[in-house]
Amino acid sequence: MRKKIIAGNWKMNMTPSQAVALVNELKPLVANEEVDVVFCVPAIDIIPAMEAAKGSNINIGAENMYFEESGAYTGEISPAMLTDVGVKYVVLGHSERREYFAETDQTVNKKVLKAFEHGITPIICCGETLEQREQGVTIDFIRQQIKIAFLNVTADQAKSAVIAYEPIWAIGTGKVATTAQAQEVCAAIRACINELYDEATGSAIRIQYGGSVSADSAAELFAQPDIDGGLVGGASLKADFGKIVNYK
Ligand code: PGA
């Protein structure tokens, strides 16, 4: 049985002092040991959020990371900076980073390899645009994103990875994918991992759905056989996140 993983993606929200207040508010609401709970927060919030989360079941993760060890990369955060403070998860290849910060499948792959090298679990995002869905190329497109993201990743590493399927048209729009749509693509992602590696790897890897997940939609989505939790944006910034974590 795969353990569910429910992660918040705060995006560019919450100052350090607001982050502490939010962690303190949510701490009692997300105290569910049956699932892995991760708050992926802006880099400057990582340390104060970790302090606030001490002694709780909340893992503090990062929203991005660079693929070099150190050096002249103004403004970037290195993997060692994250592990030094105890970060275990990093969101990689979010569609907003691909759209606004020129991330490509190739740079996502470099980041994925670097994260594994440092023992950080990547939450690897993929997802199609509305146009691609209407053209009927969703599965082809996602398979390409997954195949490139996992280039040179070993089976053992892949087993511990998290993939977040996030249809771009469902992100921040309130237009959640139907349960059937989400399950179909998550199943196709698992089949792709089976093909790239083997069934043991495919059945170990955890696949989240993301895109307008709410307290209302979580239970049905997370009950699907290939959906192992969610990556939650807007609803992770409020008390509703407690309901999502306790979706059953
Ligand atoms: P949303 O964001 O839940 O606000 O749609 C999800 C995400 O972008 O990870």
Side-chain angles (χ1 to χ4, degrees):
M1 251 314 255
R2 293 181 293 271
K3 191 175 184 185
K4 298 268 195 258
I5 176 163
I6 301 177
N9 172 15
W10 287 11
K11 311 194 179 187
M12 197 175 74
N13 294 295
M14 301 290 135
T15 63
S17 48
Q18 290 170 331
V20 169
L22 184 59
V23 170
N24 284 327
E25 180 195 343
L26 292 181
K27 224 181 335 187
L29 306 179
V30 300
N32 178 358
E33 299 286 348
E34 279 179 33
V35 304
D36 285 329
V37 177
V38 188
F39 289 16
C40 297
V41 307
I44 199 167
D45 294 343
I46 290 175
I47 292 172
M50 269 196 175
E51 286 292 317
K54 257 200 190 122
S56 78
N57 62 321
I58 300 170
N59 291 284
I60 301 298
E63 297 179 9
N64 181 35
M65 180 199 88
Y66 200 50
F67 54 74
E68 294 290 354
E69 292 293 334
S70 65
Y73 305 102
T74 302
E76 291 297 307
I77 304 281
S78 76
M81 291 171 189
L82 297 179
T83 54
D84 188 66
V85 297
V87 167
K88 296 195 178 64
Y89 296 91
V90 62
V91 176
L92 295 178
H94 190 281
S95 60
E96 287 149 17
R97 296 220 48 96
R98 294 176 191 255
E99 181 176 356
Y100 306 128
F101 304 100
E103 292 209 8
T104 63
D105 290 336
Q106 286 70 25
T107 59
V108 172
N109 175 239
K110 286 185 182 180
K111 291 181 178 197
V112 168
L113 291 168
K114 201 41 110 174
F116 280 125
E117 207 180 293
H118 286 262
I120 306 173
T121 300
I123 298 176
I124 305 161
C125 301
C126 60
E128 81 286 3
T129 61
L130 186 58
E131 190 183 19
Q132 288 167 326
R133 178 158 283 272
E134 287 169 353
Q135 290 166 338
V137 299
T138 296
I139 305 282
D140 307 86
F141 180 71
I142 305 276
R143 281 174 57 87
Q144 177 164 329
Q145 286 188 316
I146 296 295
K147 283 182 161 182
I148 300 174
F150 281 82
L151 279 175
N152 300 316
V153 171
T154 68
D156 274 346
Q157 290 170 333
K159 279 183 185 134
S160 69
V162 178
I163 296 172
Y165 166 55
E166 299 203 306
I168 295 170
W169 49 271
I171 295 178
T173 57
K175 252 175 104 180
V176 64
T178 66
T179 310
Q181 285 171 329
Q183 162 59 24
E184 183 197 11
V185 179
C186 290
I189 292 171
R190 200 176 306 284
C192 182
I193 296 292
N194 285 343
E195 248 174 66
L196 291 176
Y197 298 97
D198 48 41
E199 299 244 339
T201 309
S203 54
I205 201 165
R206 292 187 290 180
I207 305 174
Q208 300 173 314
Y209 167 79
S212 297
V213 173
S214 67
D216 291 336
S217 58
E220 201 180 304
L221 285 164
F222 302 169
Q224 298 308 302
D226 289 296
I227 302 181
D228 306 313
L231 183 59
V232 184
S236 72
L237 298 168
K238 41 188 190 179
D240 269 22
F241 195 56
K243 294 190 189 146
I244 294 172
V245 166
N246 294 288
Y247 63 96
K248 268 193 205 158

